[in-house]
């Protein structure tokens, strides 16, 4: 099993060559205060060191040992506590956080790269900083100044961690029917009572306090999603002077036995009149949650690709070293008993498919992160709104497409190993088990697809989609004279047109029949993702081509050849997806329950 | 978690309605002696009882406990021994075995249905009878009369089990480079020495003896695959009177920790001058192995679909019961907090995709089993050769396509459960972990695709493919006047033509460049499988349509509607696959190692 090595060369290529991210940062005055290219590069370097050197080595053992529950306490696998201290010492939780409360104020374009390395090195562990950063985001965006001052600094530092408490046994996707309630006290606080499940890192021994952000209903709340409020409920109450007070009445009832991410604790959390404080407006808890969702959902997409990158690293090494059978064109290494796997076309197909998704996916998540940075930091409102709409459109694609492909890639990376891929010691099977959750949590991929198709496309009659289409079209237009990129522009334009046609088709069909949205959604998201990655690969070609000639490392020419493979073998899937969508919803809806 | 229930209604539909298997049996005199429709149906009924009632309940606990290794001994999970006794008492190992040595002589078309139920109920356990039956097949086909008389009766009964010992640490796909050697003794026996890995049920406590069929090299053997011989090496030597003698010098060195099928023991087997006997001709061991491979490989394909069926049963139940969100067209069950999942188009898409593969796959494996029965039992040589060629062509498709779709289906079945699908107690995640091995063992699916594309298609210039194409074309021709089937005939013909065109393309391209075979192979196999299942769905429509009208159970109309879904949403994938294949091998081969 290859040890994970942070792919800094590839990350720098995307940040500085495919995109000119430093120029973007410089164009956003509020960001320019916090970040410059040298600082950013030093952060990448350090992130590479701790993820490859400190966190990755705990990944296998974390899976073997798992978290242990005993009478409400959760013990983490060996080494996790120490690794978490490394996170605290580096202030990594607060990398993108608000500098007014101790965050570092780094752009999402940079934070996204750290997230990839963190999640690739050890997904179970990486969820702790990820959830904390997510909780900070929600608190920073919606909490009162008092709450922020009291909680954010210790959360950014990581001395306290964060958890998001949404799901209940009967309410997952459908948060409108949650039962957890919050009764007001005279002092402005609330007593929160109810049971939450699937709470990632809801309890553990790595931080001094755990700050839960809990969805609950006020006594007079309206039914459904418009009657949900968000509460901050700490494990230990915090005194006026910031020191820890008494234990709050909440407890971890048990942790789940699950398929993967076993090093993390997935908790049942029981709130028994636990003291909490309202975050944001009453009954607007779901909206508050959703402001951080765009950040988190992109982060989950990146998780999918992180696991995929780890799988690729091992598979590539194995394909170069494992000797098995002879090349179809004749013996390549006569002095050995067999040729290395890499001589076989189908093994190359597997590695190239992995690369096509991972490297295209890395560019895509950085592209989405750019829009997030603009939406957060641009002075110009028009520019900000434009970016917000792009973010709204692209976020479900990033979450679902990159995690669906994350599973695909990890399964391929396991297949490269043959029987050894099924055995635990090689690590490839753990990546499959771990990455599988990314398709499920933070809104299942089916829900992402409904969000994309329904709210982000049909609801605004394709207006957001037009913004994306214009961006791609502009790239096609301005690069007609680039000889390296030109061969890709026609198939890219065709893919864009196919996507646009299907978009128009679904908008029309949905006006007649609301079931058309759900009938098209998952295939539409795939079609969108494949097209978006084709756009990314064209941009990669543009960046790599001028440098390929003098380069003997194979780095740039490898990019050009992977682009070709992507267009030849992977992009054609869009044709079938479009055809399937156009067959409409009748074939799905026209069955009684008995007929299933 | 739904308990697995053998889908006898669906199995009988395929055996007696989609195909007229009893008529086939009657047409094969050697088979007609052994089986009649009543006997067959009683066997199905009993198979349903023991798999649903005895074997399925052990599945979850088997996964939790796993097999335990201690100083060469393997202890099986609780209940496995008793369940194995049920297999022994029913003689299930010998269901398809040679009646001359105690087998029941049942047709593969019937045995395949038992295999589906067995593997669906508990794959880890099911591997024990499966491997034994496979070893019996090889022994029956190639062993001397003496070996057969001495070993087969106890193996058919299951008092002794069988294992297949092929893989070595450095030699998986590439068996030509194995190092295990066999030195002849004066008494006609051999001393076998070497290490084998990944030996399923190589050691355990359920049977009195374990009969290993071991690939090894004779001292003077030529290099490569033509220097491999097959040996029978029992765990306990067998005395002249059939009683057990001394322990042979072979031992299980350890068992693997693996992703799934944890209830089964995957053994490292050390042979230290163990006494063995040659099976078949010297240096023809690989050929001997391959005669049983067609049976086994179909069995692995069936395994994939078995796990898929188990996943579907749970997913369907969950979709009907779990209340979450409201239907897009408005509230369906106002008295409840939410509507059942089944109202959502995307949930229906998931269930229908599962059904499309499973029910089409069941028909396809029965179709292949028919050719196996003909190839084994037909008196007429021309008919037998025709069937053998069909079997050769279709076997890799059955193995790889049905297991690849087996994983897809189990992943979908897990997704229906949302977060609960990731938790062990619901059972859906175990099916994903278990089914994953079917894509790897018995020849990885990449190897199946090479076998199909290289040996079964290109090598004979598409001659076997023509036989399949003629069969489909004949169906299209003879059903033009069937109003129910007619809508499917044109898209089926188009799919067949697409497959035929690609076949011709690859044959031509491979004549110029041997890499074209491996570059096309996996996509070609998918294209073939999707087309073959389209043919099956057309045959299902033909069988179901006349009975749909008067039927209030939804069974037949459900088949018709699933067929429509398959043609609308699943078959279109063939378009993209064909396009990808036609882009050729250059995009794969034109990279140096550095460029990956």
């Amino acid at each position: 099993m290859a040890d994970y090595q942070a792919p800094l060369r590839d990350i720098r290529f995307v940040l500085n060559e495919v995109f000119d991210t430093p120029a973007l940062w410089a164009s956003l005055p509020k960001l320019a205060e916090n970040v410059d290219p040298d600082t950013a590069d030093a952060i990448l370097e350090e992130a590479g060191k701790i993820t490859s050197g400190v966190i990755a080595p705990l990944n296998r053992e974390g899976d073997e040992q798992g978290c242990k529950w005993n009478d409400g306490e959760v013990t983490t696998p060996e080494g996790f506590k120490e690794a978490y201290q490394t996170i605290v010492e580096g202030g990594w939780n607060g990398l993108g956080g608000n500098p007014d409360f101790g965050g570092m104020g780094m752009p999402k374009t940079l934070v996204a790269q750290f997230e990839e390395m963190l999640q690739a090195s050890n997904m179970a562990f990486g969820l702790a900083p990820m959830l904390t950063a997510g909780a900070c985001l929600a608190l920073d965006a919606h909490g009162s100044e008092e709450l922020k001052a009291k909680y954010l600094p210790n959360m950014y530092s990581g001395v306290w961690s964060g958890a998001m408490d949404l799901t209940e046994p009967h309410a997952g996707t459908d948060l409108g029917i949650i039962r957890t309630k919050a009764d007001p006290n005279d002092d402005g606080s609330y007593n929160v009572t109810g049971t939450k499940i699937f709470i990632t890192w809801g309890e553990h021994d790595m931080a001094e306090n755990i700050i839960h952000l809990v969805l609950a209903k006020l006594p007079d709340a309206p039914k459904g999603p418009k009657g949900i409020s968000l509460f901050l409920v700490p494990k230990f109450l915090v005194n006026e002077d910031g020191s820890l007070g008494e234990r709050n009445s909440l407890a971890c009832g048990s942790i789940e036995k699950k398929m993967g991410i076993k090093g993390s604790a997935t908790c049942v959390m029981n709130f028994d009149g636990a003291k909490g404080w309202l975050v944001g407006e009453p009954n607007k808890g779901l909206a508050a949650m959703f402001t951080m969702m765009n950040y988190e959902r992109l982060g989950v997409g990146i998780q999918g690709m992180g696991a995929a990158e780890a799988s690729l690293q091992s598979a590539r090494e194995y394909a170069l070293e494992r000797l098995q059978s002879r090349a179809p064109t004749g013996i390549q290494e006569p002095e050995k008993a067999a040729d290395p796997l890499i001589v076989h076309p189908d093994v190359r197909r597997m590695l190239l498919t992995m690369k096509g998704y991972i490297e295209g996916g890395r560019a895509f998540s950085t592209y989405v992160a750019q829009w997030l940075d603009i939406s957060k930091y641009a002075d110009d409102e028009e520019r900000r709104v434009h970016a917000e709409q792009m973010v709204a459109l692209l976020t479900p694609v990033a979450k679902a497409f990159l995690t669906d492909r994350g599973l695909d890639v990890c399964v391929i990376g396991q297949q490269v190993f043959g029987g050894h891929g099924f055995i635990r010691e090689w690590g490839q099977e753990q990546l499959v088990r771990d990455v599988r959750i990314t398709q499920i949590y933070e809104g299942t991929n089916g829900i992402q697809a409904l969000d994309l198709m329904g709210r982000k496309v049909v609801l605004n009659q394709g207006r957001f989609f037009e913004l994306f289409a214009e961006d791609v079209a502009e790239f096609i237009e301005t690069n007609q004279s680039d000889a390296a990129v030109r061969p890709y522009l026609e198939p890219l334009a065709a893919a864009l047109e196919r996507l646009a046609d299907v978009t128009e088709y679904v908008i029309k069909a949905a006006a007649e029949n609301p079931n058309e949205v759900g009938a098209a959604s998952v295939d539409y998201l795939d079609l969108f993702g494949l097209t978006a990655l084709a756009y990314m690969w064209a941009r990669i070609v543009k960046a790599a081509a001028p440098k390929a000639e003098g380069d003997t490392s194979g780095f740039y020419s490898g990019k050009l050849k992977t682009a070709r493979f992507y267009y030849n073998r992977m992009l054609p899937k869009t044709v079938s997806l479009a055809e399937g969508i156009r067959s409409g919803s009748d074939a799905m809806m026209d069955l009684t329950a008995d007929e299933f």
Side-chain angles (χ1 to χ4, degrees), chain A:
Chain A
M1 168 186 175
D3 287 324
Y4 171 74
Q5 291 298 326
L8 289 175
R9 180 72 193 88
D10 271 278
I11 286 174
R12 288 180 172 127
F13 172 64
V14 168
L15 269 187
N16 303 321
E17 300 175 67
V18 178
F19 303 107
D20 185 356
T21 325
L24 173 71
W25 300 337
S27 81
L28 300 167
K30 287 182 210 155
L31 251 187
E33 289 170 22
N34 301 328
V35 66
D36 59 69
D38 287 348
T39 309
D41 208 68
I43 289 172
L44 290 179
E45 192 73 32
E46 184 60 22
K49 265 186 212 153
I50 65 156
T51 53
S52 310
V54 178
I55 302 172
L58 304 173
N59 189 39
R60 168 89 197 285
E61 204 45 45
D63 181 63
E64 294 285 343
Q65 292 181 19
C67 277
K68 303 271 190 296
W69 181 95
N70 183 31
D71 197 19
E73 305 289 323
V74 170
T75 311
T76 49
E78 237 168 273
F80 272 41
K81 261 184 171 170
E82 293 75 10
Y84 188 82
Q85 276 312 306
T86 307
I87 294 289
V88 170
E89 280 153 25
W92 293 100
N93 276 349
L95 193 61
N98 184 348
D100 294 344
F101 299 99
M104 285 199 253
M106 290 296 145
K108 185 69 180 179
T109 28
L110 185 66
V111 175
Q113 316 307 324
F114 166 62
E115 288 173 343
E116 183 198 315
M117 296 184 243
L118 176 67
Q119 304 299 342
S121 68
N122 189 333
M123 196 187 293
F125 176 84
L127 283 164
M130 182 178 183
L131 267 291
T132 305
C136 288
L137 246 163
L139 191 54
D140 185 44
H142 300 281
S144 65
E145 291 303 305
E146 200 190 332
L147 280 180
K148 289 201 266 188
K150 195 162 181 178
Y151 292 95
L152 277 179
N154 276 333
M155 293 174 77
Y156 282 144
S157 78
V159 176
W160 301 346
S161 73
M164 313 292 297
D165 302 50
L166 287 70
T167 304
E168 300 183 7
H170 69 293
T173 293
D174 191 0
L175 291 168
I177 58 174
I178 60 165
R179 293 178 193 143
T180 297
K181 55 181 186 169
D183 291 313
N185 298 318
D186 294 340
D187 64 357
S189 70
Y190 294 80
N191 284 343
V192 176
T193 303
T195 296
K196 296 286 179 178
I197 63 168
F198 300 162
I199 309 309
T200 304
W201 288 117
E203 178 57 46
H204 61 88
D205 58 6
M206 302 189 294
E208 293 172 15
N209 199 3
I210 300 170
I211 312 305
H212 294 266
L213 293 189
V214 184
L215 289 183
K217 296 183 80 85
L218 291 166
D220 56 350
K223 276 198 167 183
K226 287 176 183 165
I228 296 176
S229 306
L230 182 63
F231 297 88
L232 182 155
V233 187
K235 176 178 169 185
F236 290 101
L237 297 174
V238 179
N239 299 323
E240 284 305 310
D241 65 356
S243 64
L244 293 186
E246 61 180 312
R247 172 79 192 232
N248 205 352
S249 30
L250 59 95
C252 173
S254 62
I255 61 175
E256 306 288 350
K257 292 182 79 171
K258 50 198 196 293
M259 183 184 194
I261 51 167
K262 293 186 184 191
S264 72
T266 302
C267 303
V268 173
M269 294 303 305
N270 298 316
F271 297 87
D272 185 18
K275 213 161 186 184
W277 289 266
L278 186 67
V279 177
E281 302 286 306
N283 300 326
K284 300 217 166 137
L286 266 193
M289 275 290 175
F290 276 104
T291 53
M292 60 131 242
M293 283 284 186
N294 284 337
Y295 275 78
E296 288 298 294
R297 286 183 168 170
L298 174 59
V300 175
I302 289 170
Q303 256 189 333
M305 285 294 113
E309 166 71 26
S311 182
L312 171 62
Q313 291 188 10
S314 297
R316 179 166 41 204
E317 188 178 309
Y318 195 77
L320 291 168
E321 288 178 1
R322 171 83 171 173
L323 305 175
Q324 205 77 176
S325 304
R326 293 298 185 181
T329 48
I331 295 175
Q332 302 294 304
E333 307 206 0
E335 74 289 0
K336 293 181 178 158
D339 291 329
L341 289 183
I342 194 86
V343 303
H344 301 291
D346 189 55
V347 172
R348 290 170 163 252
R349 178 192 63 79
M350 291 196 269
L351 293 178
L352 284 164
T353 303
M354 297 172 85
K355 282 167 69 71
Y357 286 136
I358 293 168
E359 295 171 14
R362 181 179 291 120
F364 182 60
S365 58
T366 304
Y367 174 74
V368 179
Q370 285 191 321
W371 293 113
L372 274 166
D373 282 339
I374 298 169
S375 76
K376 187 167 175 180
Y377 292 107
D379 283 332
D380 172 0
E381 202 195 330
E382 197 182 328
R383 195 177 170 206
R384 216 163 52 227
V385 169
H386 174 204
E388 275 165 15
Q389 294 177 343
M390 286 294 271
V391 164
L393 177 76
L394 299 176
T395 295
V397 181
K399 194 279 181 183
F401 187 75
L402 298 184
T403 58
D404 282 346
R405 300 299 82 76
L407 179 72
D408 292 349
V409 168
C410 290
V411 166
I412 296 171
Q414 183 184 26
Q415 195 73 16
V416 170
F417 279 70
H420 298 277
F422 198 67
I423 302 302
R424 296 196 70 171
E425 66 177 299
W426 291 87
Q428 295 296 78
E429 66 85 34
Q430 183 189 339
L431 292 169
V432 174
R433 288 186 291 103
D434 285 352
V435 79
R436 182 67 183 90
I437 189 61
T438 63
Q439 303 174 283
I440 297 173
Y441 62 20
E442 207 72 21
T444 65
N445 286 359
I447 291 298
Q448 303 299 327
L450 278 179
D451 178 47
L452 171 69
M453 188 88 265
R455 263 187 291 195
K456 309 299 175 55
V457 172
V458 169
L459 193 64
N460 60 49
Q461 299 288 298
R463 211 160 41 78
F464 294 3
F465 173 76
E466 274 309 312
L467 300 178
F468 173 73
E470 281 162 17
D471 193 50
V472 184
E474 194 194 321
F475 178 86
I476 295 171
E477 186 61 31
T478 49
N479 287 286
Q480 289 295 336
S481 61
D482 183 320
V485 183
R486 204 169 37 229
Y488 296 98
L489 298 180
E490 204 176 303
L492 177 59
L496 182 65
E497 195 182 336
R498 186 175 300 127
L499 178 62
D501 288 351
V502 169
T503 304
E504 200 188 323
Y505 165 83
V506 179
I507 291 171
K508 272 193 193 146
E512 305 286 315
N513 179 356
N515 282 324
E516 294 290 332
V517 170
S521 53
V522 164
D523 284 349
Y524 180 81
L525 190 145
D526 273 352
L527 177 55
F528 199 130
L530 284 162
T531 307
L533 259 63
Y535 174 35
M536 294 299 111
W537 273 108
R539 294 188 72 146
I540 291 172
V541 167
K542 186 175 169 60
K547 298 172 182 169
E549 210 161 318
D551 174 56
T552 55
S553 72
F555 182 84
Y556 293 110
S557 52
K559 297 285 173 269
L560 299 181
K561 290 171 181 178
T562 307
R564 182 178 166 203
F565 179 86
Y566 184 87
Y567 271 78
N568 277 0
R569 301 290 293 217
M570 297 165 74
L571 186 57
K573 286 202 185 114
T574 52
V575 180
S576 299
L577 290 164
E579 191 177 324
I581 292 169
R582 284 175 185 283
S583 71
S585 69
D586 287 357
M588 267 163 256
M589 300 317 296
D590 182 27
L591 285 85
T592 64
D594 286 342
E595 288 173 332
F596 276 94

